[in-house]
Amino acid sequence: MEITAHRFHFALSVQAARAIGAEPRRCWRNALLSIMLLPEIFADGRYVEGWLVVPKETRLEIVEHGWLQLPSRELVDPSLVLTEKPDQPACYFAGYTLSRSRLAALAPGGTLPLVCHSIYGDDGMSHREYRHAYTAAWQRARELAHKHQLPESTINEYRRTEARGMTLIIATENVL
């Protein structure tokens, strides 16, 4: 599902980023810490792993990404606010979503992103919704490239690597 900037809760994203000491390029970690350490805000929220399309002036970025979704369907992204301006458009494509309680049960001892370190393969593409989100992100990026008269070669895809983004979770029950 695509969610555009008008549903992005910038102020709450900044608040969460500050509260957890968010780190750039650690989106899954930032989302997990936010939902687990800020239950007064995210008790009924969802942890999301999916894809983000960020249109820039001369290129489009497709980013494997993690964020939060509130019951109101507003998005909270404590990572994007660290690297982008408040008015930066973005399209979110949710693939793998977990409630706070389900995340607490799965996360300890795991590696983020969870969908890529599970029965769904090391790229997560065996998970139907995650694969669909990836395909939809590419489709949207191609549409935006066409709309802005950019060649498809200006679409850059950024996936997690061992050097960027992955997080091993070692936590006791009282933290998660």
Side-chain angles (χ1 to χ4, degrees):
M1 166 186 8
E2 176 182 344
I3 302 175
T4 55
H6 72 277
R7 292 185 150 191
F8 179 70
H9 199 306
F10 184 82
L12 193 53
S13 297
V14 169
Q15 179 184 346
R18 286 182 181 149
I20 64 149
E23 298 175 12
R25 294 169 192 53
R26 301 291 302 277
C27 60
W28 300 291
R29 172 200 174 272
N30 296 336
L32 178 126
L33 288 177
S34 294
I35 198 168
M36 300 314 297
L37 298 179
L38 304 170
E40 66 280 4
I41 300 170
F42 299 111
D44 295 323
R46 311 270 307 161
Y47 166 87
V48 183
E49 295 176 356
W51 297 86
L52 174 66
V53 175
V54 183
K56 303 290 188 162
E57 191 172 319
T58 60
R59 70 185 188 287
L60 293 145
E61 297 177 353
I62 299 174
V63 183
E64 192 173 21
H65 196 61
W67 65 91
L68 302 165
Q69 184 173 327
L70 298 172
S72 64
R73 303 189 58 80
E74 285 183 293
L75 301 184
V76 176
D77 189 339
S79 301
L80 190 71
V81 297
L82 301 176
T83 59
E84 302 295 339
K85 295 177 183 176
D87 61 347
Q88 172 63 56
C91 303
Y92 289 80
F93 298 87
Y96 185 65
T97 64
L98 297 166
S99 66
R100 186 174 183 275
S101 60
R102 185 74 176 130
L103 181 63
L106 289 176
T111 302
L112 298 175
L114 292 169
V115 73
C116 298
H117 296 92
S118 66
I119 62 170
Y120 302 113
D122 60 358
D123 63 358
M125 293 302 166
S126 292
H127 187 276
R128 188 174 57 87
E129 288 85 10
Y130 196 75
R131 185 178 61 251
H132 177 73
Y134 174 76
T135 302
W138 264 99
Q139 180 180 342
R140 182 65 178 142
R142 287 183 183 108
E143 290 168 359
L144 288 169
H146 179 74
K147 178 181 177 181
H148 297 287
Q149 300 178 349
L150 296 170
E152 194 168 313
S153 62
T154 62
I155 301 172
N156 299 306
E157 180 181 308
Y158 299 96
R159 290 179 181 243
R160 50 120 180 107
T161 65
E162 289 190 31
R164 186 190 70 79
M166 289 179 22
T167 301
L168 177 64
I169 305 161
I170 303 171
T172 60
E173 288 183 27
N174 60 353
V175 174
L176 295 179

